[in-house]
Amino acid sequence: MAAGSVLVLGSLVLHGRQSNTLLLDYELSADQSERFEALTRAFSEMARCGRIWNIPLEKREADWKRNAGASKLIERKQIHLATGNPPLVTTNMNFLKLPAGKETIYLTPDVILVTAGNAVAGFSYSDVEVTFRHTRFIEEEALPMDATVVDQTWRYVNRKGGPDRRFKNNRQLPMCLYGEIDLRSAGGLNERIQCSRVDVAEAFVSSIAAMSASMKG
């Protein structure tokens, strides 16, 4: 652990003063291995989606007519899922790495690690609420190749939902059905992931739910 860094695992807080790392050496039971392999398969399938985004915040939009009829604007950042381990952790496993703004989430066989700079926080799966939902999203960026288009709207709309003729080059925009995943905990984890495929996002959440249920049992 780098000098001056802080490691938080559950209720344990260690202030590092020497150059060393946290060693996590896993010996999994058959059930543990099966559950983590199922989570890894769901994660890998989601990683192959045409597009995945992290959504840090939502902003209310007063001028809905100039934003395709949307009452709020969503800031998104495209992310890429991968396997990897935190810089302060040495382990015999490949963790599942999910970038989320200034933080990075790592899914391990027994905890969810969240890193930010030189700090690492650990959450039990059973302490993290992970939810899935469908969302209809007006797509103004390049359309993901695997997106499901469910409707169309206009860049500038009138009060009846049709095109506002006052604007030139008023192009049609696709309304896509995406999957959204929320990860929240009382300890401060609060992230939203949007995925261009609904089915794989839902399967991923189901795999995390299985991990959580095993911790409670």
Side-chain angles (χ1 to χ4, degrees), residues 3 12 25 37 67 77 83 92 105 116 118 147-148 153 156 164 169 179 184 200 206-207 210 213-215:
L12 177 64
D25 192 10
E37 286 175 4
N67 288 283
K77 181 179 180 181
T83 57
N92 60 337
I105 299 171
N118 285 334
T148 299
T153 187
Y156 304 106
D164 192 326
N169 301 319
R184 294 191 174 97
V200 296
S206 295
S207 296
S214 69
M215 305 299 173

Side-chain angles (χ1 to χ4, degrees), residues 49-89:
C49 283
R51 209 78 52 79
I52 304 172
W53 302 269
N54 172 237
I55 303 179
L57 57 89
E58 296 180 351
K59 296 193 301 184
R60 288 289 163 184
E61 178 53 49
D63 193 0
W64 59 271
K65 291 188 293 183
R66 287 170 170 76
N67 288 283
S71 60
K72 59 187 176 183
L73 291 180
I74 296 178
E75 296 183 1
R76 301 182 300 174
K77 181 179 180 181
Q78 186 176 352
I79 61 174
H80 300 280
L81 308 189
T83 57
N85 299 323
L88 301 180
V89 175

